[in-house]
Amino acid sequence: KEMVVTHIGLERGAVIEFKYRLHTKAGFRNHFAGLEYRNALFPIHKYSFKVIVPKDKTLYFSFGSQGKIKLDRTIQKGFHVYSHNAVGIPHFSPEPLSRAGQSYIAFSDTKDWQGTYPSNYNTRNLPNWIKDKKDQILSSTKGTLECIFKLQELVANDMDYCRLSTALTGNSVRKASTVIDSNYATALEKSYLLSAILSDAGMKNEIILASDKPITYTEIASDRFITHIYIKLPNVRNDVMYLDPVQSQDGIYPASMKGKHLYNLSRNRVEKLKKNDDCSNHLVINGKLTLTGVTYDGTIRLALGGSEFNYKSSLKNHKTYLKRALSSRIPVTKISNLKLIRYDSRG
């Protein structure tokens, strides 16, 4: 929820004192954490930060682009009190829809990312009808990549989506059957559901957390940092593929992954995107054609490469795509007797 406060009749030099209290329902988050921004779109004359926790509770901190901030720590009546005060904080001028470079103080009582999130769905808990739909996709698709796209669409397109960030929806998930029956899911629930469906289809996969901030994942664990979640398929015919559980895609990398800082929740380590020659799109054509009169007859193999290739479009319109690709090499007016033999991530 958002709170909007409007002041009228203000004069230059006026000082506004504004206090509010937030009550969080127990169980909404399985750890104690916060993310407080120190600057805003307007200058701040005086800033005060204070967090009070029981004496036996340890807090871990992470700071924004301003670097490490000095925190005062005292003990008062059996409680640890962490505080920070600043004056004359200049305004923040961000790019549209971006908080990059903004000054913040983040805190959490844990560094354990796997302990912060619940365990994956057990594939045995998937309803039978969703398993039947998965089996239909497996039997009707012509290759690995087409099958993966269809399974992704089952969760990303065919189910409604709660568009609040993971920081606002909490880190708990409902049962898989409840999520499917309601036809409505958070980003976290969609990622767990897609992971379970892929696992039930025999496809090994991993949960990837993503943050817009250059977070040091070893310093602090908090879902307040996480802005999106992806699914990684580490072995799609000896290649790597990432899926967006809330939006279908055309290539092997979702466009929204650009600039994100990633953490592999399944392996409990920082995730680095694979850097290789496939980062640039390319098309390799080879085969054997026999010229008979004015017609060609033979077999052509196309290998598509690159992280942003429109694989899905070329798959659905493979005849048109082949004609366009060949026209730059040999004269083509008509293609007949075309059959898609196999389509997967290796071409």
Side-chain angles (χ1 to χ4, degrees):
K1 294 182 178 180
E2 293 184 353
M3 177 169 54
V4 178
V5 178
T6 303
H7 297 280
I8 60 175
L10 294 181
E11 299 179 1
R12 186 180 296 275
V15 177
I16 301 170
E17 294 186 1
F18 179 54
K19 296 182 179 180
Y20 61 93
R21 178 173 295 180
L22 298 177
H23 296 271
T24 303
K25 185 179 180 181
F28 178 77
R29 183 173 282 112
N30 64 1
H31 63 290
F32 177 63
L35 177 62
E36 301 295 327
Y37 291 99
R38 293 177 70 248
N39 51 6
L41 298 177
F42 47 84
I44 296 177
H45 174 61
K46 184 171 69 173
Y47 175 86
S48 179
F49 166 86
K50 182 184 290 185
V51 57
I52 303 172
V53 295
K55 190 177 179 180
D56 59 349
K57 180 76 70 174
T58 300
L59 284 186
Y60 306 98
F61 289 86
S62 180
F63 306 100
S65 59
Q66 76 288 338
K68 191 171 183 179
I69 294 175
K70 181 182 178 182
L71 292 174
D72 295 321
R73 179 174 137 180
T74 59
I75 298 178
Q76 299 178 12
K77 299 180 180 180
F79 289 87
H80 278 307
V81 180
Y82 299 85
S83 59
H84 165 72
N85 296 285
V87 294
I89 300 178
H91 74 284
F92 172 62
S93 300
E95 293 292 329
L97 304 178
S98 172
R99 287 184 178 268
Q102 191 166 11
S103 175
Y104 63 82
I105 302 175
F107 60 89
S108 176
D109 63 356
T110 181
K111 291 184 177 182
D112 180 14
W113 283 98
Q114 288 187 331
T116 301
Y117 284 87
S119 301
N120 289 9
Y121 286 144
N122 191 318
T123 56
R124 292 194 300 271
N125 296 331
L126 291 174
N128 289 330
W129 72 267
I130 204 77
K131 290 188 176 185
D132 293 339
K133 205 162 188 178
K134 175 262 301 177
D135 291 337
Q136 291 175 9
I137 293 174
L138 290 176
S139 60
S140 63
T141 50
K142 297 183 176 67
T144 306
L145 203 57
E146 183 182 8
C147 175
I148 292 173
F149 283 139
K150 290 290 185 181
L151 293 176
Q152 179 193 34
E153 291 174 358
L154 189 61
V155 176
N157 295 355
D158 298 348
M159 180 179 294
D160 203 0
Y161 168 45
C162 173
R163 287 164 177 78
L164 293 175
S165 70
T166 55
L168 298 177
T169 57
N171 56 1
S172 60
V173 293
R174 297 170 295 166
K175 294 180 179 179
S177 57
T178 303
V179 171
I180 293 172
D181 290 342
S182 68
N183 198 37
Y184 181 79
T186 66
L188 183 60
E189 289 171 337
K190 281 203 171 195
S191 64
Y192 277 39
L193 181 58
L194 179 57
S195 175
I197 292 174
L198 291 169
S199 295
D200 199 56
M203 300 181 189
K204 182 181 178 182
N205 62 88
E206 300 164 0
I207 303 290
I208 306 296
L209 306 177
S211 174
D212 293 332
K213 300 177 179 60
I215 175 178
T216 303
Y217 283 99
T218 55
E219 288 182 351
I220 185 175
S222 171
D223 59 357
R224 297 298 301 274
F225 281 108
I226 305 306
T227 52
H228 205 67
I229 302 175
Y230 299 96
I231 302 297
K232 175 184 178 181
L233 295 166
N235 186 21
V236 182
R237 291 187 62 85
N238 300 319
D239 209 345
V240 177
M241 183 176 185
Y242 293 87
L243 296 178
D244 190 331
V246 304
Q247 185 176 10
S248 60
Q249 64 198 61
D250 293 319
I252 58 177
Y253 291 87
S256 59
M257 287 190 76
K258 290 184 177 180
K260 292 285 196 299
H261 302 270
L262 308 176
Y263 190 83
N264 191 315
L265 185 64
S266 301
R267 294 180 179 267
N268 207 24
R269 69 186 187 191
V270 173
E271 176 78 3
K272 294 183 179 180
L273 290 179
K274 181 181 178 182
K275 293 183 179 180
N276 54 29
D277 294 337
D278 281 348
C279 292
S280 58
N281 293 344
H282 57 269
L283 171 65
V284 178
I285 303 176
N286 58 48
K288 184 177 181 180
L289 295 176
T290 302
L291 179 61
T292 305
V294 294
T295 63
Y296 299 96
D297 186 34
T299 302
I300 292 289
R301 180 178 182 270
L302 268 71
L304 310 179
S307 60
E308 297 181 9
F309 224 117
N310 197 329
Y311 292 95
K312 190 183 296 184
S313 176
S314 61
L315 174 64
K316 292 180 179 178
N317 307 288
H318 54 275
K319 190 172 183 177
T320 302
Y321 190 89
L322 178 61
K323 181 178 179 180
R324 188 169 67 247
L326 291 177
S327 294
S328 60
R329 275 80 177 177
I330 57 177
V332 177
T333 57
K334 181 182 179 182
I335 295 179
S336 58
N337 301 323
L338 179 66
K339 181 180 180 182
L340 183 64
I341 300 174
R342 191 188 77 222
Y343 195 102
D344 54 41
S345 65
R346 306 302 294 179

